[in-house]
Amino acid sequence: SGGTCCCMRELTYMDAQDVRDSLKRVDYNQVTSDEWDRAGFGCTPQVIQGVTSDWAAKEWTEKMLLNKWGEERFRVGSDENDEDVRLTLNDFVRYLNDDCNGDANPMYLFEHTGEGPLESIVNEYSIPKYFSSTRDLFSVLNPIEERPPHRWVLYGGKRSGSAIHKDPLCTSAWNTSIFGRKRWMLFPPGARKVHLMPASVGALWPARISGPSAWFEHMLPRIRSSQWRGPEPVEILQQPGETVYVPAGWWHIVVNLDPV
């Protein structure tokens, strides 16, 4: 199929050496919350090291996850009617270990942790001090009736990821990788949507290929060319154990280079 052929050839954007990551890391054990504020770190994308040092989640392995949640069903995508597609974790991991059947846009487990089988997962990690509840304006809302979903677990294979978007409700976000590397590209709030999300026409944006794979394959060469008129992106190669901070309003897209 067309999707399989896309994945079987060499994909430059899946090469970690192609990532132009020059972002200086923030040492969580050295930079206090006051220093974070004074340096203005909250205004631009950051990569933080050391957040997971006391997390139980840092010990997660595929085997541990399967032992705990293997028979539970999780959302791994949506169908043509925009209805949730759910698989047991056992079936989903078998799919990952088969290289996602060679899919160009693989299924991606994306599950809210506020209810259901993952409700207890909040005990496996702690919120970084830079983003504590005293700094979170949404914390004043009733967590059950008013606050929108805001805690998620993501699990995916190579080539899976998140399409280009801004986070909703003017929220900032932090994302920690327990295992696996993730490739990020971020653009400032002033970037024009027409530059980042061109129309689905012809060879520029094949309708049969969607998600981050299509974006990186067709947009990255344009962004790297001398004809690019949009803002320069911030590029990040997120390593296992690192936390990426995305300020409110920043466009971002992520593709997973490994099972993550």
Side-chain angles (χ1 to χ4, degrees):
S1 68
T4 301
C5 291
C6 171
C7 288
M8 297 311 290
R9 67 176 183 272
E10 183 178 356
L11 299 175
T12 303
Y13 65 83
M14 291 296 294
D15 183 352
Q17 294 185 355
D18 184 62
V19 184
R20 300 176 180 177
D21 183 348
S22 60
L23 206 58
K24 184 178 179 180
R25 273 38 181 175
V26 175
D27 187 337
Y28 188 71
N29 297 311
Q30 297 294 325
V31 178
T32 67
S33 297
D34 287 343
E35 290 169 335
W36 170 277
D37 293 340
R38 287 198 298 271
F41 286 146
C43 300
T44 56
Q46 304 292 335
V47 181
I48 311 166
Q49 294 180 330
V51 168
T52 64
S53 60
D54 60 352
W55 287 12
K58 73 176 182 178
E59 306 298 334
W60 284 355
T61 63
E62 178 184 289
K63 183 177 180 180
M64 290 175 62
L65 296 175
L66 290 175
N67 286 340
K68 194 164 187 177
W69 293 296
E71 295 302 320
E72 301 287 351
R73 300 179 70 85
F74 298 100
R75 183 184 182 278
V76 297
S78 56
D79 60 20
E80 60 274 10
N81 297 317
D82 206 29
E83 297 289 335
D84 285 353
V85 174
R86 291 185 173 271
L87 291 177
T88 66
L89 188 60
N90 283 326
D91 288 339
F92 182 68
V93 169
R94 277 193 287 269
Y95 168 78
L96 297 188
N97 290 337
D98 192 30
D99 194 30
C100 303
N101 292 337
D103 292 342
N105 187 32
M107 292 187 290
Y108 197 18
L109 190 156
F110 204 107
E111 189 75 19
H112 177 226
T113 66
E115 56 189 10
L118 294 179
E119 190 170 6
S120 65
I121 211 169
V122 295
N123 300 318
E124 304 278 325
Y125 70 93
S126 56
I127 299 173
K129 58 193 174 189
Y130 311 133
F131 321 121
S132 66
S133 59
T134 59
R135 297 163 169 259
D136 181 3
L137 298 180
F138 278 85
S139 64
V140 303
L141 299 177
N142 183 299
I144 298 176
E145 298 178 356
E146 299 176 320
R147 182 161 189 163
H150 61 289
R151 293 174 176 165
W152 307 87
V153 169
L154 286 65
Y155 192 4
K158 293 170 61 176
R159 302 181 304 278
S160 64
S162 302
I164 187 78
H165 68 286
K166 288 184 179 182
D167 288 333
L169 303 176
C170 297
T171 53
S172 302
W174 57 274
N175 178 297
T176 300
S177 178
I178 301 300
F179 52 80
R181 299 167 301 166
K182 302 164 76 76
R183 179 174 192 171
W184 295 69
M185 293 194 79
L186 305 98
F187 299 84
R192 297 180 61 193
K193 184 176 181 179
V194 68
H195 285 148
L196 306 181
M197 302 175 67
S200 302
V201 290
L204 174 64
W205 200 265
R208 294 178 61 191
I209 306 175
S210 60
S213 294
W215 192 95
F216 274 97
E217 184 168 2
H218 297 279
M219 288 297 297
L220 187 58
R222 297 181 65 197
I223 293 169
R224 294 270 174 88
S225 75
S226 58
Q227 284 75 41
W228 176 245
R229 294 295 179 263
E232 289 299 309
V234 174
E235 298 193 38
I236 294 172
L237 177 61
Q238 183 183 14
Q239 300 286 352
E242 290 188 328
T243 298
V244 171
Y245 165 74
V246 182
W250 278 70
W251 294 91
H252 52 286
I253 183 167
V254 188
V255 66
N256 299 324
L257 304 187
D258 307 305
V260 300

